[in-house]
Amino acid sequence: AAGDAARSICLPGHGEGHAGFRESCFTDWLGHAEKELRDFASIYERVVLVGFSLGGALCLNMAARLPVAGVVTLSAQLYVMNILPWPQIHARLYRASCRAALRRLLRLPSAGNVSETGESSRDIAPWTGYEGPITVPQLLSFRSGCAQTRHLLPRLPAPLLVLPHARGRLLHAGN
């Protein structure tokens, strides 16, 4: 609408490849989003937060703690699979992440001709739509951030849960 402004942000570690992502965590993402919100709020009287997936979780977290005019989320992550005890079905994820971390620590070359995308990453993370490797520390920080956000939900004046349609093409039903 006329007179409205929008800002799209890139979170720390995003858009920098897997190496950059390994250096970030939920508190980094939330801190960056809060700084962007403060900057935007210094210019505009009313700010509405809009987010998808991780961005939605960040928006809900901020909306529960900071003054905003509204919040809109789509598929905001509030629950992440239990990490411990390690689920048998996801054992490949942990083994591959531990091997990769050990190779980085010992400064060893990567295993063979393994790329960060494609079928080799499908062996590590078989979920549709996640083509690159996933690192356990970031997953754990995301899980912790989602739990923190869940506890803040009662502070929202009118929370609304919107579920994607089963035949929707944005999210894969198998996930």
Side-chain angles (χ1 to χ4, degrees):
D4 291 338
R7 180 182 293 178
S8 175
I9 65 172
C10 185
L11 298 172
H14 291 72
E16 302 171 14
H18 187 63
F21 183 72
R22 281 195 309 260
E23 302 302 319
S24 64
C25 65
F26 190 86
T27 55
D28 298 326
W29 307 327
L30 184 60
H32 181 77
E34 287 176 358
K35 179 193 176 302
E36 291 289 331
L37 171 59
R38 284 191 304 275
D39 291 349
F40 211 62
S42 71
I43 300 169
Y44 299 97
E45 184 178 326
R46 294 172 39 93
V47 177
V48 175
L49 302 174
V50 179
F52 169 72
S53 191
L54 165 61
L58 294 172
C59 288
L60 288 171
N61 189 302
M62 291 186 299
R65 297 178 299 103
L66 304 170
V68 296
V71 60
V72 178
T73 68
L74 175 64
S75 300
Q77 301 296 326
L78 296 175
Y79 291 91
V80 177
M81 68 176 190
N82 287 329
I83 302 300
L84 298 172
W86 291 4
Q88 185 71 20
I89 193 168
H90 299 296
R92 290 178 296 177
L93 167 71
Y94 299 104
R95 282 195 309 267
S97 292
C98 291
R99 280 194 307 263
L102 186 59
R103 279 195 306 272
R104 284 192 308 276
L105 182 66
L106 299 175
R107 300 183 195 279
L108 298 174
S110 65
N113 197 5
V114 177
S115 114
E116 289 188 359
T117 60
E119 287 306 311
S120 59
S121 65
R122 179 75 63 223
D123 292 339
I124 297 168
W127 307 283
T128 304
Y130 297 87
E131 307 306 327
I134 297 174
T135 56
V136 172
Q138 284 67 33
L139 185 60
L140 288 171
S141 80
F142 183 48
R143 182 174 185 252
S144 174
C146 289
Q148 175 193 38
T149 301
R150 279 195 314 274
H151 294 294
L152 292 172
L153 288 180
R155 294 185 184 180
L156 291 174
L160 173 65
L161 175 62
V162 179
L163 298 174
H165 190 275
R167 291 187 307 233
R169 296 181 184 264
L170 187 59
L171 298 175
H172 301 281
N175 294 346

